[in-house]
Amino acid sequence: MKRILTGDRPTGNLHLGHYLGTLKNRVKLQDFYECFFIIADLQVFTDHLQDSEKIAANVFEVACDYLGVGLKESNCFFIQSQVPELSELSMYFSFLVNISELKRNPTVKSEAEMYGVSNINLGFFSYPVSQAADILAFKADVVPCGQDQLPHIFQTREIVRIFNNHFGPIFKDPEELIGECPILKGIDGRKMSKSLGNTISFAQTEDETEKKILNMLTDEGRVRLKDPGNPQKCLAFSYLCFFEKDIDEIHNIENLCMSAGISCRDCKKRLSNIINDELREIRERRDFYHSDQERVWNILRKGNEKARAEASKTLEEVREAMGISYHS
Ligand code: TRP
């Protein structure tokens, strides 16, 4: 069985953007691959140093989100910091990467611009190298991820090339797997992000979700009920296209909107019913795990152990190849 490695930073609850972008995809893939899901707690320190007291709670939340969406307990769920071999490998890789190359990484660049380029710390600057270690320590075949993670995959392949050249053929190139990955905007039209308060998440109740959706942006040109709307300018309609499975119903709503035959409020009520229906089972399963902390931490403990065992094997090979294993 081929192997997958992918994961998320535990900066808060996962939301509908993650769901459409990657989680749904992962649920399908788990039947065909051996899966390792990394909860990348160390990566949180790249830009959320001040959040350290929330990290454990957020790790727990992300684990509940994973299990809630239907990832099976039998997968390996692990916490980055609990596999110190990853940090070790990252250190070795740091000698194989040019600073100028890191400076060109478009994802790091745009993230750094958000914070003011001169303000980022060394760990932020080099996190693509650490991410390469996450992937290669498990010799993952496939990395399902969003478009923004692509430069890190290229960086990983570059490290494979240089490492294998210098020290022998230990690693193989991982393949990226970009999901259909629609970009779901937040309810205010900005990027969906917990810190902007514009997300819809599994952790919310159905009422909270409905409230959020009723606040969602619609066509600003439609001021009065009798004004015809333009669905192409309506965020709620774009959501409907993602979540309504019946194409005829989408066309129906489109026509009703353009002929002022439905109010925005009614339309958003329908949308929130569709989304709440889709999330109901996920939320129930999530609640089940959320109320059984012991069970979730046990899954993570087991995952950490398995991940360590796998990463240790790779690190033995790496130290040997690099001439620093010191077996007498
Ligand atoms: N950078 C990823 C994110 O921000 C998280 C991550 C860490 C990751 N290590 C990884 C993703 C390895 C894929 C593979 O969501």
Side-chain angles (χ1 to χ4, degrees):
M1 230 192 205
K2 286 196 169 182
R3 200 175 261 190
I4 272 180
L5 182 127
T6 187
D8 299 273
R9 301 177 185 191
T11 50
N13 282 112
L14 301 180
H15 52 61
L16 226 46
H18 298 111
Y19 178 60
L20 281 195
T22 106
L23 296 175
K24 260 179 122 164
N25 206 20
R26 290 182 202 172
V27 173
K28 284 193 212 136
L29 293 169
Q30 67 180 338
D31 294 328
F32 306 101
Y33 292 88
E34 183 189 11
C35 294
F36 289 78
F37 296 112
I38 184 170
I39 303 182
D41 59 344
L42 293 177
Q43 256 189 39
V44 175
F45 293 114
T46 55
D47 56 354
H48 283 73
L49 264 186
Q50 70 284 4
D51 281 354
S52 56
E53 80 276 9
K54 291 194 221 135
I55 278 199
N58 283 339
V59 166
F60 176 71
E61 292 297 320
V62 169
C64 289
D65 288 336
Y66 282 170
L67 294 158
V69 293
L71 295 176
K72 295 184 197 130
E73 290 186 15
S74 53
N75 292 302
C76 180
F77 302 93
F78 69 99
I79 307 169
Q80 188 182 31
S81 66
Q82 300 308 293
V83 184
E85 287 77 7
L86 299 179
S87 300
E88 183 184 344
L89 190 57
S90 176
M91 174 76 179
Y92 300 156
F93 286 168
S94 75
F95 304 114
L96 310 179
V97 179
N98 273 320
I99 288 184
S100 56
E101 200 178 330
L102 273 179
K103 276 190 182 149
R104 283 196 300 269
N105 183 307
T107 298
V108 174
K109 241 175 153 168
S110 72
E111 286 169 343
E113 268 158 28
M114 248 162 46
Y115 299 100
V117 185
S118 57
N119 284 332
I120 68 168
N121 61 45
L122 182 57
F124 191 140
F125 185 61
S126 64
Y127 91 78
V129 180
S130 142
Q131 194 152 324
D134 298 340
I135 295 166
L136 295 178
F138 300 96
K139 301 195 172 172
D141 300 284
V142 177
V143 182
C145 60
Q147 201 79 35
D148 61 325
Q149 302 293 303
L150 259 185
H152 308 338
I153 309 277
F154 296 152
Q155 179 68 74
T156 304
R157 292 203 201 112
E158 184 64 8
I159 288 173
V160 169
R161 193 181 61 78
I162 299 173
F163 188 99
N164 287 356
N165 247 341
H166 277 281
F167 303 118
I170 304 277
F171 296 111
K172 60 183 173 204
D173 281 344
E175 289 299 320
E176 72 276 8
L177 191 87
I178 310 286
E180 300 152 42
C181 211
I183 302 289
L184 196 67
K185 291 196 174 135
I187 58 160
D188 54 1
R190 291 184 289 172
K191 180 177 182 226
M192 189 179 276
S193 147
K194 190 175 152 79
S195 55
L196 296 175
N198 62 5
T199 64
I200 294 167
S201 72
F202 313 113
Q204 283 163 359
T205 63
E206 297 197 359
D207 283 348
E208 285 165 339
T209 298
E210 184 178 281
K211 253 192 217 131
K212 288 254 171 167
I213 291 178
L214 289 176
N215 276 326
M216 192 180 273
L217 277 186
T218 50
D219 173 15
E220 282 167 328
R222 189 178 184 200
V223 186
R224 280 156 308 201
L225 188 57
K226 62 179 193 315
D227 297 338
N230 179 351
Q232 300 316 318
K233 289 190 181 162
C234 174
L235 190 61
F237 185 73
S238 73
Y239 269 61
L240 192 78
C241 294
F242 287 134
F243 289 98
E244 172 60 69
K245 294 185 184 81
D246 180 354
I247 307 248
D248 292 340
E249 179 60 10
I250 295 178
H251 287 311
N252 178 32
I253 297 271
E254 194 174 19
N255 289 329
L256 283 171
C257 175
M258 292 190 298
S259 60
I262 186 173
S263 72
C264 291
R265 190 183 160 80
D266 283 349
C267 192
K268 289 196 275 192
K269 278 248 180 195
R270 286 197 198 190
L271 176 64
S272 75
N273 287 339
I274 294 169
I275 291 180
N276 278 333
D277 285 347
E278 172 141 3
L279 296 188
R280 191 159 301 124
E281 197 187 324
I282 293 176
R283 283 175 166 150
E284 278 165 16
R285 204 167 26 226
R286 190 183 186 285
D287 285 347
F288 164 79
Y289 284 107
H290 204 263
S291 57
D292 195 348
Q293 292 212 15
E294 191 54 26
R295 187 184 186 107
V296 174
W297 285 113
N298 272 333
I299 292 169
L300 289 171
R301 244 188 308 275
K302 244 179 43 208
N304 292 339
E305 273 168 30
K306 176 170 176 193
R308 268 204 93 166
E310 285 303 318
S312 296
K313 279 195 254 168
T314 305
L315 263 292
E316 289 272 331
E317 286 179 66
V318 167
R319 290 185 213 106
E320 188 74 39
M322 292 178 72
I324 52 170
S325 60
Y326 303 103
H327 293 311
S328 53

